[in-house]
């Protein structure tokens, strides 16, 4: 970075790049973050860039939901089979779910409000981020990407969009979640049956307890990778602009006036 | 002689500057001015608890996911099955969310971002007459949006 090395630590930061991951701080609507925390607990934190906390709660959600059969109970309740819903749900585990779910919604809402302030302060300063980071295992660099292309890859296979964005930890977690849950729910067999028109067999082959996890994961990765791509583009431009200002605005430049 | 060029932010711009330096243009004879984008600043004027900018995809994703879950649930009962009803829910929900966000943004006054490709960096090169042709070619070869000559 020419005559202005980035070895000082900024108070407000809007991005961090390492050889295997890029993390971002940018403005979000706190209600949207709270919504993802409810749609699939843990996703709100992942959207905020708190990957480890998010992954811990993703695992928590999978365990509690499977143990208490919440997804199956939701299916029965919405289709009017209230007695079946009461039978299938396990109250030993269900009551554990409630307070943590509300906590996560509340927690991610308030973290977003605070991070929005930090984000505004950070955007007003010179971007404090390396252009590239590499070590013996890998390398990452800031690049300009097409957000719709990222959203498309995420829609075909959750995780691929994040991998293209060089966000390895969320990418791998999304891939593992999608592959294991789509196989356990028998999604791809159901797609094949739907494609050939055997509608009667579709509902029979699907496992609803697993299948009801999938819409939230799909919706999140498409949305999350798209908005991350938009912000990585902004960061790329800000970093390049700051590099050019530092290096190519010599006071000795003879202006034509 | 001066060359003035407009670029988008990309690594081509840095390659162009490097090529100019290799070609004998001195570093202090290159001036780069990154342009601040209007849309970026307008975010600050919004309420801190509800930033604008991505509200269209925000609400499309939220309602799309919500209606997809409902489509999947009722797909277990309805004829076409959970896959098709899930997709119908997703498309209908995303369209509904995007529509609502559009209606909301119409009622809220804001600065409109111009569409299409925009110049993001201006480059000005002070070069000798004998460097002019080569320098201009370097700019065009690296995806300059436009190049102008100034004879002073």
């Amino acid at each position: 970075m020419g005559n202005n090395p980035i070895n000082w630590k900024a108070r407000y930061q809007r991005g961090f790049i390492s050889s295997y991951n890029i993390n971002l701080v940018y403005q979000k609507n706190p209600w949207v973050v709270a919504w993802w925390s409810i749609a699939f607990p843990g996703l709100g934190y992942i959207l905020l860039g708190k990957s480890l906390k998010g992954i811990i709660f993703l695992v928590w959600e999978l365990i509690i939901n499977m143990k208490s059969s919440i997804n199956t109970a939701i299916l029965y309740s919405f289709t009017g089979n209230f007695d079946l819903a009461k039978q299938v749900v396990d109250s030993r585990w269900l009551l554990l779910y409630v307070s943590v779910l509300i906590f996560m919604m509340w927690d991610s809402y308030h973290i977003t409000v605070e991070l929005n302030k930090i984000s505004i302060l950070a955007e007003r300063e010179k971007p404090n981020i390396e252009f590239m980071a590499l070590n013996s295992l890998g390398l990452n660099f800031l690049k300009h990407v097409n957000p719709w292309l990222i959203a498309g890859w995420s829609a075909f296979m959750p995780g691929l969009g994040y991998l293209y964005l060089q966000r390895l930890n969320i990418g791998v977690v999304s891939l593992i979640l999608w592959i294991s849950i789509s196989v356990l729910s028998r999604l791809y067999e159901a797609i094949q049956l739907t494609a050939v028109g055997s509608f009667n067999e579709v509902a029979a082959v699907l496992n609803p307890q697993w299948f009801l996890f999938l819409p939230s994961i799909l919706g999140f990765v498409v949305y999350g990778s798209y908005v991350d791509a938009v912000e990585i583009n902004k960061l790329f431009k800000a970093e390049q602009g700051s590099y050019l200002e530092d290096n190519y605005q010599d006071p000795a430049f003879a202006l034509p006036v | 002689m001066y060359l003035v060029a407009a670029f988008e932010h990309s690594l081509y711009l840095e390659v162009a500057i490097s090529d100019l330096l290799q070609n004998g243009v001195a570093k202090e004879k290159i001036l780069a001015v990154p342009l601040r984008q209007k849309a970026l600043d307008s975010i600050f004027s919004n309420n801190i608890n509800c930033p604008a900018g991505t509200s269209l995809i925000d609400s499309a994703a939220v309602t799309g996911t919500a209606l997809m879950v409902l489509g999947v649930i009722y797909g277990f009962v309805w004829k076409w099955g959970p896959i098709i009803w899930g997709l119908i829910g997703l498309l209908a929900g995303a369209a509904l969310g995007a529509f609502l966000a559009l209606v909301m943004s119409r009622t809220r006054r804001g600065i409109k971002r111009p569409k299409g490709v925009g110049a993001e960096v201006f480059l000005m090169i002070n070069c000798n007459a004998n460097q002019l042709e080569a320098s201009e070619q370097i700019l065009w070869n690296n995806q300059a949006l436009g190049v102008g000559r100034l004879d002073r």
Side-chain angles (χ1 to χ4, degrees):
Chain A
M1 196 71 187
N3 48 11
N4 197 358
I6 319 184
N7 43 24
W8 53 280
K9 180 92 170 150
R11 184 164 162 84
Y12 317 115
Q13 291 180 293
R14 58 189 281 200
F16 177 79
I17 186 167
S18 77
S19 59
Y20 55 88
N21 204 25
I22 293 178
N23 207 355
L24 301 160
V25 176
Y26 56 92
Q27 289 180 72
K28 299 177 188 82
N29 186 330
W31 287 109
V32 172
V33 179
W35 152 255
W36 289 117
S37 286
I38 290 221
F40 198 124
L43 292 183
Y45 293 131
I46 285 183
L47 187 62
L48 289 172
K50 296 168 83 71
S51 312
L52 184 61
K53 192 173 176 184
I55 290 165
I56 290 169
F57 280 106
L58 283 179
V59 174
W60 174 87
E61 152 74 8
L62 284 172
I63 294 172
I64 302 276
N65 197 318
M66 291 311 292
K67 283 289 183 186
S68 56
S69 302
I70 290 172
N71 281 349
T72 316
I74 289 173
L75 173 71
Y76 285 144
S77 306
F78 275 65
T79 51
N81 298 309
F82 302 115
D83 291 331
L84 276 173
K86 282 182 212 158
Q87 269 173 35
V88 77
V89 80
D90 187 342
S91 56
R92 257 200 308 177
W93 291 91
L94 181 68
L95 292 178
L96 270 173
Y97 194 82
V98 182
S99 52
V100 183
L101 185 72
I102 303 298
F103 166 78
M104 270 190 282
M105 187 189 156
W106 171 83
D107 187 34
S108 57
Y109 180 97
H110 284 283
I111 291 172
T112 313
V113 170
E114 293 307 302
L115 272 178
N116 282 350
K117 294 170 193 157
I118 295 174
S119 169
I120 289 173
L121 295 169
E123 276 177 41
R124 287 174 182 174
E125 292 194 351
K126 225 169 154 57
N128 175 257
I129 186 168
E130 304 273 1
F131 169 66
M132 66 186 296
L134 81 168
N135 65 13
S136 53
L137 289 178
L139 70 96
N140 277 331
F141 55 94
L142 292 178
K143 66 180 170 190
H144 197 273
V145 295
N146 178 348
W148 287 109
L149 200 60
I150 303 278
W153 281 117
S154 292
F156 282 126
M157 183 77 196
L160 297 185
Y162 279 123
L163 289 182
Y164 185 69
L165 284 178
Q166 310 175 102
R167 306 202 65 188
L168 188 67
N169 54 13
I170 305 174
V172 170
V173 167
S174 309
L175 271 178
I176 292 172
L177 271 181
W178 185 262
I179 293 171
S180 51
I181 297 178
S182 65
V183 169
L184 287 164
S185 68
R186 313 186 110 200
L187 166 70
Y188 289 100
E189 290 158 82
I191 289 178
Q192 196 196 356
L193 288 170
T194 304
V196 298
S198 314
F199 297 123
N200 297 334
E201 297 167 54
V202 177
V205 79
L206 278 172
N207 177 333
Q209 173 62 31
W210 285 109
F211 189 57
L212 278 176
F213 285 124
L214 293 179
S216 309
I217 299 174
L218 184 68
F220 176 79
V221 292
V222 171
Y223 168 75
S225 60
Y226 176 92
V227 290
D228 276 358
V230 170
E231 293 302 320
I232 283 178
N233 286 349
K234 285 186 195 164
L235 200 52
F236 171 80
K237 290 174 184 181
E239 194 278 338
Q240 189 178 50
S242 141
Y243 162 77
L244 293 172
E245 280 170 357
D246 285 347
N247 287 276
Y248 295 99
Q249 296 192 346
D250 199 307
F253 184 89
L255 285 164
V257 280
Chain B
M1 292 287 281
Y2 290 90
L3 283 172
V4 181
F7 279 85
E8 285 186 288
H9 274 296
S10 83
L11 284 184
Y12 279 113
L13 170 58
E14 291 180 42
V15 173
I17 291 175
S18 174
D19 280 355
L20 290 170
L21 295 173
Q22 292 267 308
N23 219 34
V25 179
K27 193 179 172 192
E28 66 271 13
K29 298 204 164 185
I30 300 174
L31 181 77
V33 183
L35 306 175
R36 301 233 180 279
Q37 303 293 309
K38 201 174 187 181
L40 282 180
D41 298 331
S42 71
I43 289 175
F44 301 141
S45 59
N46 278 286
N47 182 353
I48 208 168
N49 290 330
C50 191
T54 52
S55 62
L56 202 72
I57 185 150
D58 276 359
S59 46
V62 167
T63 52
T65 308
L67 286 198
M68 191 182 186
V69 173
L70 289 177
V72 164
I73 287 172
Y74 289 107
F76 276 100
V77 185
W78 295 341
K79 193 196 166 192
W80 292 341
I83 303 281
I84 286 187
W85 282 113
L87 288 174
I88 291 173
L90 173 65
L91 294 176
L96 177 72
F99 175 74
L100 287 177
L102 270 177
V103 170
M104 301 277 274
S105 70
R106 284 281 158 75
T107 56
R108 202 190 305 149
R109 275 187 303 129
I111 306 157
K112 288 273 188 298
R113 184 210 294 254
K115 285 193 170 166
V117 181
E120 294 175 320
V121 179
F122 272 112
L123 205 59
M124 196 168 191
I125 300 123
N126 179 359
C127 56
N128 307 326
N130 58 349
Q131 292 171 323
L132 193 71
E133 288 293 334
S135 299
E136 191 171 0
Q137 203 52 50
I138 286 170
L139 297 174
W140 283 122
N141 288 347
N142 288 290
Q143 301 203 346
L145 298 173
V147 181
R149 291 183 182 194
L150 180 63
D151 196 356
R152 288 282 163 86

